[in-house]
Amino acid sequence: RQTDRQTDRQTDRQTDSSASLQSSQPSSLGDLDVGFRVLKLADSSMSDVFYDPSQLSRDLISASKDSIKPDRSDLDLLFSCVLDWGLPLSKPYRTETIEGATVHFYDDKALLACFDKDLSEEATIALANLHPLRAVFRDSCFKDGQAKVNLMAIFKQFSPDTKVRTL
């Protein structure tokens, strides 16, 4: 498609400009970040799930636990949350491992996200003790409904001002 080729050419030019700037003036740049982030809008990260209420059964509900499209990466989900919460796309993000869980931080502690499967209680307590403004978790982080309720209770106890969501 024409727009994809244009975007690719623009990205190549920005990469070349950034590399040229770094090689021509390394001492004057210091630790200046001359990188850039390319984001492409796609459809929702959530699966389209439509059921007639009369067709629902307990087995069907428990089988459809993960509502996220299988081809979505952690960063797709993170930036989807950034957009949902109306945060600026220009802020820094980093990824750390805390108590064995991969945790994404956006704009320091403005948004904390964990999309690992079977999040441990120790990791949950460690994350709550960071006191982020917002926290988001994938439904598959929880082995069952009780684990999800426990996470909410832990955040309420250790970080009551954190807005917590699950995908």
Side-chain angles (χ1 to χ4, degrees), residues 14-72:
Q14 289 170 331
T15 303
D16 292 344
S17 297
S18 175
S20 172
L21 184 62
Q22 285 179 323
S23 65
S24 67
Q25 302 175 358
S27 61
S28 64
L29 291 177
D31 290 335
L32 179 67
D33 181 7
V34 293
F36 61 93
R37 189 178 295 154
V38 176
L39 301 171
K40 294 182 182 181
L41 287 178
D43 56 351
S44 172
S45 293
M46 308 308 283
S47 297
D48 294 325
V49 181
F50 300 102
Y51 294 108
D52 183 305
S54 65
Q55 297 174 337
L56 289 178
S57 68
R58 181 173 281 228
D59 294 335
L60 182 62
I61 291 171
S62 62
S64 62
K65 185 176 183 179
D66 201 7
S67 59
I68 297 169
K69 291 181 179 175
D71 64 336
R72 297 303 194 243

Side-chain angles (χ1 to χ4, degrees), residues 71-121:
D71 64 336
R72 297 303 194 243
S73 70
D74 283 3
L75 288 181
D76 291 334
L77 297 176
L78 175 67
F79 280 98
S80 174
C81 294
V82 166
L83 289 172
D84 286 347
W85 258 310
L87 300 174
L89 294 171
S90 58
K91 298 297 182 181
Y93 73 91
R94 70 183 192 283
T95 302
E96 294 180 18
T97 301
I98 298 174
E99 294 289 334
T102 303
V103 182
H104 305 278
F105 294 91
Y106 190 82
D107 192 16
D108 194 28
K109 294 180 190 169
L111 173 62
L112 175 150
C114 180
F115 306 117
D116 284 359
K117 293 187 183 300
D118 298 329
L119 186 65
S120 71
E121 187 172 336

